[in-house]
Each structure stands twice: as C-alpha cells, then as structure tokens.
Amino acid sequence: MALPTVEELAQQLAAVSGATEVAPDAPIQHIADVDSLDLMEWLYNFQNQYPDIPADESLFADLDDTTTMRDVHTKLLGLVPQPVER
C-alpha cells in the first residue's frame, strides 16, 4: 500500500483548511488557518481514502507547537500494514 508523500498530505491539509500554504516542516499549531476541526476533517478524509491504515485521532494526541506534517507522516508510516511473508 502506497502512502501519500508528506508533501501530498500537507497539500490535502491546505485544501481542507483553506490555508494558503502548509509546509511539511511548519509546526501545525503555527499555521494561521489550520485548527483542530480542520485536522479532524483531514483525518476523516484520510480514513476514507486509506481504510486499511488504522489512523485515528491519536495521531494528534501529543500535538504541540513543534509537531509538523512530517511528524504525522512518520506516525502514519508506522501504521501501514506490512505484507505477511509466506
């Protein structure tokens, strides 16, 4: 299963929030047009697009003023199911 790039995830968040730009390494809490409702809408869209990845609101449980979309992407990579070897 191919996970979107961190840049694609940032663009998706920008589209949901209406933010002019969401840079992958910008702290999410410092992006003026992004709030918690935008994050939940982005997550809902992600869950619908990638139902096999068990992403939930815990992605943002430890959100602080340094958390970036790159951090979220790294967490998502850890959730991607690995193929079973036979």
Side-chain angles (χ1 to χ4, degrees):
M1 167 178 306
L3 187 66
T5 66
V6 66
E7 291 80 11
E8 291 168 329
L9 294 180
Q11 288 174 351
Q12 291 169 2
L13 181 57
V16 165
S17 67
T20 306
E21 179 183 8
V22 174
D25 295 309
I28 295 169
Q29 289 187 336
H30 293 275
I31 303 170
D33 294 324
V34 175
D35 61 24
S36 60
L37 291 176
D38 296 324
L39 293 174
M40 290 304 111
E41 184 177 348
W42 172 86
L43 177 60
Y44 176 77
N45 292 340
F46 182 88
Q47 290 169 326
N48 286 327
Q49 191 171 6
Y50 299 93
D52 294 337
I53 298 175
D56 61 23
E57 59 277 349
S58 67
L59 280 175
F60 304 111
D62 58 352
L63 184 73
D64 63 22
D65 64 347
T66 64
T67 306
T68 66
M69 285 306 288
R70 191 169 307 280
D71 298 324
V72 172
H73 187 260
T74 299
K75 288 181 181 180
L76 289 170
L77 285 173
L79 296 174
V80 174
Q82 300 302 312
V84 177
E85 304 237 355
R86 293 181 185 211

